[in-house]
Amino acid sequence: MYTAHCPELDVASCGKTIEEAQKNLLEVIEIQLEETARLGTLKTFLEDAGYDLDTSQPTLQLNKQVVAFNQRTVPIGVS
C-alpha cells in the first residue's frame, strides 16, 4: 500500500500503486472541497488548514513539517 498526503489541506489517501494513491488523493480533495462548500463550511475547512482568506490574495501559512519518514515491515499472521 502507498499513502499520498496533501499537507496543504491535511488530507491523505492510499492505493495499491503510487499512481492509484495519487489518483485517490485527488478524488478525496475534490470530494472534501465540494462537500464542505455544500455544507457551508469550506471557509472554516480552509482556515483550519492554514489558509488566510482575509486578504485579496489567499495565502497559505503552513506550520507543519515532516519530521521523519520511516518505512517499516510488519509480519502478519506469524504463529
Side-chain angles (χ1 to χ4, degrees):
M1 271 315 231
Y2 292 89
T3 301
H5 179 245
C6 174
E8 294 85 357
L9 295 174
D10 199 18
V11 175
S13 190
C14 61
K16 292 180 182 177
T17 64
I18 293 172
E19 294 77 18
E20 182 181 22
Q22 291 171 333
K23 179 180 127 325
N24 291 343
L25 178 61
L26 287 176
E27 185 177 320
V28 167
I29 291 169
E30 288 174 6
I31 291 169
Q32 184 72 38
L33 294 175
E34 289 170 2
E35 286 301 306
T36 55
R38 185 181 68 78
L39 295 170
T41 58
L42 178 59
K43 183 178 180 196
T44 301
F45 171 71
L46 292 173
E47 288 173 340
D48 287 348
Y51 284 88
D52 180 2
L53 303 175
D54 293 328
T55 63
S56 59
Q57 180 86 17
T59 57
L60 174 62
Q61 298 297 322
L62 276 183
N63 296 322
K64 306 167 193 169
Q65 65 180 359
V66 175
V67 294
F69 180 85
N70 297 300
Q71 185 172 350
R72 302 283 187 218
T73 303
V74 179
I76 299 175
V78 177
S79 301

